[in-house]
Amino acid sequence: MKKINILSSISLIILIITLSAQITYALTTTNCSQISQTECKGLMELYYRTNGSKWKESWHEEPCDWQRIICEDGHVTQIDLSANQLNGQIPPSIGHHFSNLLSLNLADNQLTGTIPSSLGYLSQLKNLALNNNQLNGSIPSSIGYIKQLQTINLNNNKLNGFIPQSLGSLQQLQRFDISNNQLEGMFPKFVEHWQQLKFLNLSNNKLIGSIPAFLYNWNQPVYLNISGNKITIGSTTCPNISNIPQSECNALVHLYHSTDGKNWKNNTGWDKITGESKNTWQILENVRQFWNTYFNLNNPCNWYGVGCYAGHVTQIRLHENQLKGFIPESLSNLNKLVGLSLYSNQLNGVIPESLGNLSYLKWLWLENNQLSGLLPESLSYLDNLQHLDLSNNQLDGPIPKSFGNLLLLKTFYLSDNQLSGLIPESIGNLVNLKHLKLNNNQLGGFIPKSLGALIRLDSIRLNNNQLSGSIPKSILSYLSYLGQLNISNNQLSCDEALSLFKNIKPDIRHRKLNIICLNKTTKKL
């Protein structure tokens, strides 16, 4: 295997040296009197990296006399190599060579690889066309630095990931086409900053959400294609709702669309908001006229799994309901929510930081999903939280020390994740805690002595971690309600636990305590 890797590395080095030598030779044999050596080198690099000798129309002699290259005042200003049989990758350094480039058109070729982030240095660029190739990867956020851009055509590639927020700064943009890719996320609301927009094609991606309100009253007609996504017509899809605040209804709609509501096991009531676009092209001169056609909304408080009280959404119970997708940030608009139960679904992505704004929340059940990322520090702001279950996901990183601020917490379940680091001493502040499950993670260090202060604890599960050291005597001596202590499969001493238990006060020792300490030698105390 090492020999193969060495040979591969040598081959790559030889390829780089060969390419550099070709470019150097080309520069010495090419007349670049009309443009700088930097721009000439950039053109030659583009030529060799895209198999220029097999182009439909190749280059000869003075670069500014080459087919499809336009020069002005000693600089390359336009490169149009569309439909010219380019085959290979766009040079990663292309953006460093053409400081005066106004137009770059490499459409309709067989280009592969990613879009170079160096394009962000083309500060004068107005037109970018890379459509109809085989480009993959994400759209570079650096494109948002090209303030002069008027058209972006990236359609018909294999691009994925999210549309960069940085593109919102392109205030001169008139045309944006990313159709027929694999892009995901919400409808890009930063389109609001594109005041010159005339053409927007988002079709055939994996986008969700709804068309924002500002597009209804746009100062000019906008040609829009949103087909092949899960985008609704209407900024809120909750017109004329009076029984709950508009913002709360919007949050419910976002949840529906971000979790594939159309395919839920039970979407009674929610199915009234399915406003996916049926037509390929719409002219958005006045979208309001479509509302009555697409939406026949009922009372959201009657939707399956939604509970309301005093004019606000207070509960969402959509567990075991085939939700698939991610939890939207906008759930934080449900500011009177008491309970959120989304367990046993197929949710992925991160737990939104915004959930920390739900100050009335008492129970949060997100277990048995595919959630990933870090535990949000913001959850420590939930002063009323009593039950937290995030077990059986793919969460990683440490347990935030700030979780010790959840003073009303009764059940605390983080088992079956990939959490690492130490068990915070601050957990000893959770004086109302009855059940603690941190098992099946990668937690290390000592068992905190502070757990001995949690006198209401009934069960502690710390098994299958990497804990070491001794077992705090306080856990066995003071926790008179403790019924189960599972510390198996760590680096703890079972014999020490047994010895401690035998030497504590008889009135404590005779309670019904089941200590499980199964390591390499199977032993149950």
Side-chain angles (χ1 to χ4, degrees):
M1 183 62 71
K2 287 185 177 179
K3 179 179 281 187
I4 293 174
N5 290 337
I6 292 171
L7 290 174
S8 298
S9 300
I10 292 173
S11 299
L12 180 60
I13 293 170
I14 292 174
L15 178 62
I16 293 171
I17 293 173
T18 302
L19 180 60
S20 299
Q22 288 176 329
I23 294 173
T24 302
Y25 174 75
L27 287 173
T28 59
T29 59
T30 301
N31 182 11
C32 287
S33 61
Q34 298 181 28
I35 58 175
S36 68
Q37 286 291 309
T38 299
E39 293 184 356
C40 189
K41 182 178 180 181
L43 291 174
M44 295 308 303
E45 186 174 0
L46 178 61
Y47 179 87
Y48 283 109
R49 283 187 176 270
T50 58
N51 206 5
S53 61
K54 295 184 178 180
W55 287 359
K56 186 177 180 180
E57 299 178 23
S58 193
W59 289 341
H60 304 283
E61 301 178 357
E62 173 64 46
C64 292
D65 295 330
W66 290 345
Q67 292 286 340
R68 307 188 185 201
I69 299 297
I70 295 179
C71 301
E72 296 179 18
D73 299 325
H75 293 286
V76 176
T77 57
Q78 295 185 42
I79 299 175
D80 183 357
L81 295 173
S82 58
N84 200 36
Q85 299 178 4
L86 277 67
N87 189 344
Q89 298 186 6
I90 303 172
S93 62
I94 188 170
H96 298 296
H97 295 292
F98 306 104
S99 58
N100 291 82
L101 194 65
L102 301 177
S103 179
L104 176 62
N105 188 348
L106 304 179
D108 300 296
N109 287 293
Q110 295 94 46
L111 295 171
T112 58
T114 60
I115 300 175
S117 60
S118 67
L119 290 180
Y121 290 100
L122 300 176
S123 59
Q124 303 302 313
L125 198 68
K126 294 184 177 181
N127 303 302
L128 175 64
L130 303 177
N131 49 294
N132 298 308
N133 282 288
Q134 300 172 36
L135 299 170
N136 55 38
S138 59
I139 300 174
S141 59
S142 59
I143 291 179
Y145 303 148
I146 313 175
K147 305 300 183 184
Q148 306 300 319
L149 269 177
Q150 296 178 7
T151 65
I152 297 178
N153 292 326
L154 303 178
N155 48 295
N156 296 300
N157 280 290
K158 300 177 182 180
L159 302 174
N160 54 38
F162 296 90
I163 304 172
Q165 292 288 325
S166 61
L167 300 188
S169 63
L170 303 178
Q171 298 182 11
Q172 304 301 316
L173 202 64
Q174 299 178 23
R175 179 187 177 95
F176 186 63
D177 192 345
I178 56 170
S179 58
N180 299 305
N181 281 289
Q182 301 167 28
L183 297 163
E184 56 186 317
M186 301 290 290
F187 183 99
K189 293 185 178 181
F190 54 74
V191 171
E192 180 177 11
H193 303 298
W194 297 347
Q195 293 295 315
Q196 308 301 319
L197 187 66
K198 298 178 181 178
F199 183 99
L200 180 61
N201 192 349
L202 308 177
S203 63
N204 299 315
N205 281 286
K206 300 177 181 180
L207 302 174
I208 63 173
S210 55
I211 300 173
F214 56 78
L215 275 175
Y216 307 159
N217 299 307
W218 206 247
N219 56 11
Q220 60 187 357
V222 177
Y223 291 85
L224 172 69
N225 188 346
I226 57 174
S227 62
N229 289 288
K230 296 178 181 177
I231 300 174
T232 62
I233 296 178
S235 66
T236 66
T237 71
C238 283
N240 303 318
I241 290 295
S242 58
N243 49 308
I244 61 172
Q246 191 78 40
S247 60
E248 295 188 16
C249 188
N250 296 347
L252 294 177
V253 172
H254 291 165
L255 176 62
Y256 178 86
H257 288 295
S258 68
T259 58
D260 195 22
K262 184 171 58 176
N263 293 311
W264 289 358
K265 182 189 295 185
N266 189 336
N267 61 5
T268 304
W270 299 79
D271 56 357
K272 302 296 183 182
I273 61 174
T274 53
E276 284 81 9
S277 175
K278 300 297 191 299
N279 298 323
T280 302
W281 290 100
Q282 302 288 356
I283 302 177
L284 293 182
E285 293 175 329
N286 190 348
V287 181
R288 283 189 295 270
Q289 63 184 310
F290 293 106
W291 277 356
N292 292 332
T293 303
Y294 285 103
F295 306 115
N296 180 22
L297 300 179
N298 59 357
N299 182 352
C301 296
N302 295 330
W303 297 352
Y304 173 77
V306 177
C308 297
Y309 178 77
H312 292 279
V313 176
T314 56
Q315 294 187 21
I316 295 180
R317 295 177 179 267
L318 293 173
H319 47 270
E320 300 176 338
N321 200 40
Q322 297 178 5
L323 277 68
K324 186 177 182 180
F326 62 91
I327 303 172
E329 290 274 354
S330 57
L331 275 190
S332 61
N333 291 330
L334 304 175
N335 53 22
K336 302 293 183 182
L337 197 66
V338 173
L340 178 59
S341 177
L342 302 177
Y343 67 83
S344 298
N345 284 294
Q346 300 174 52
L347 298 173
N348 54 38
V350 300
I351 300 173
E353 286 278 352
S354 62
L355 294 187
N357 297 325
L358 300 175
S359 57
Y360 286 84
L361 203 65
K362 291 185 178 180
W363 38 272
L364 178 59
W365 296 329
L366 303 178
E367 70 270 22
N368 300 321
N369 281 289
Q370 297 154 27
L371 299 169
S372 59
L374 302 176
L375 292 169
E377 289 264 3
S378 62
L379 296 185
S380 63
Y381 305 149
L382 302 176
D383 295 336
N384 290 296
L385 196 64
Q386 298 180 20
H387 304 281
L388 176 62
D389 193 344
L390 307 178
S391 58
N392 197 22
N393 280 287
Q394 300 169 24
L395 302 169
D396 56 25
I399 301 173
K401 295 178 182 179
S402 57
F403 278 19
N405 297 330
L406 302 172
L407 301 182
L408 299 182
L409 207 60
K410 295 180 181 179
T411 58
F412 188 25
Y413 297 163
L414 300 178
S415 59
D416 297 282
N417 281 288
Q418 301 166 28
L419 301 174
S420 57
L422 306 178
I423 300 175
E425 285 281 348
S426 59
I427 289 181
N429 299 332
L430 308 179
V431 293
N432 290 291
L433 200 63
K434 293 184 178 181
H435 302 282
L436 176 63
K437 294 182 181 179
L438 305 179
N439 50 295
N440 298 312
N441 281 290
Q442 301 168 27
L443 298 169
F446 301 148
I447 299 175
K449 295 180 181 179
S450 61
L451 294 186
L454 305 180
I455 59 175
R456 291 181 172 83
L457 270 176
D458 178 77
S459 63
I460 302 176
R461 296 186 182 179
L462 305 177
N463 48 297
N464 296 308
N465 279 291
Q466 300 169 19
L467 300 171
S468 59
S470 59
I471 302 167
K473 184 177 179 180
S474 59
I475 293 179
L476 300 175
S477 300
Y478 303 129
L479 304 185
S480 57
Y481 291 101
L482 191 63
Q484 184 182 82
L485 173 63
N486 192 339
I487 53 175
S488 60
N489 294 318
N490 281 287
Q491 300 171 29
L492 301 163
S493 171
C494 291
D495 292 332
E496 183 182 22
L498 178 60
S499 175
L500 279 172
F501 188 56
K502 286 182 177 179
N503 292 323
I504 61 177
K505 296 179 181 179
D507 58 326
I508 299 295
R509 176 160 43 89
H510 290 298
R511 70 184 186 276
K512 296 180 179 179
L513 172 59
N514 184 25
I515 303 179
I516 304 174
C517 188
L518 306 174
N519 293 316
K520 292 182 180 179
T521 59
T522 303
K523 182 180 291 186
K524 185 175 179 179
L525 305 183

